[in-house]
Amino acid sequence: MVTAAVCAVVAGYRSYAAIAEWVADVPAATALALGMTADRRPSEAMIRRLLQAMDPQLLTAAIGVWLAGRATVTTSTAGRAIAVDGKTLRGSRTTDTPARHVMTACDQATGAVLASIDVDGKTNESPCAGHAAMA
């Protein structure tokens, strides 16, 4: 289910209802490839409960490790370039909380996210760069 939810989000489906719609609409062969039975798909409520129970940093780390394992590196690690950038997460602001700010380190050769950390929105991200690269 997690893989299906990630695929749905990558395809542009952002809400729990939209993710469930994507899961319900994928062809039977795709459902089977994602580990679901073609005639029994998870409901929106099941998807919501699963995703809300997950630690987003652990999921990000797991996806990064998976991507790094699948990528082919054409450059040596001596010339490794890591891009570090901060972003405000769209849709993360609520009436009670400000939008989340994160800093992410990405391997330029593989495109894999190496680390992502929360950053105080009122600070310069530069002091956090070492932490993101080391995480």
Side-chain angles (χ1 to χ4, degrees):
M1 263 195 326
V2 174
T3 304
V6 169
C7 290
V9 171
V10 169
Y13 293 76
R14 301 286 187 247
S15 69
Y16 297 120
I19 293 168
E21 179 182 313
W22 185 89
V23 168
D25 291 344
V26 295
T30 302
L32 289 172
L34 292 171
M36 297 180 289
T37 8
D39 60 345
R40 189 162 183 235
R41 315 280 174 99
S43 67
E44 176 189 347
M46 174 59 81
I47 292 168
R48 181 184 310 112
R49 284 192 303 269
L50 172 70
L51 295 178
Q52 288 176 343
M54 294 184 68
D55 181 332
Q57 289 183 330
L58 288 176
L59 176 60
T60 300
I63 292 170
V65 167
W66 179 79
L67 287 171
R70 300 186 65 78
T72 56
V73 179
T74 57
T75 60
S76 72
T77 56
R80 187 178 199 183
I82 297 174
V84 179
D85 192 22
K87 295 290 180 203
T88 300
L89 299 181
R90 189 174 113 192
S92 65
R93 186 179 76 112
T94 67
T95 55
D96 301 333
T97 60
R100 282 184 57 208
H101 298 277
V102 296
M103 182 167 356
T104 303
C106 177
D107 184 325
Q108 291 292 282
T110 64
V113 173
L114 304 173
S116 182
I117 61 170
D118 286 332
V119 176
D120 183 358
K122 297 178 183 174
T123 187
N124 184 322
E125 297 146 351
S126 297
C128 301
H131 295 344
M134 299 297 228

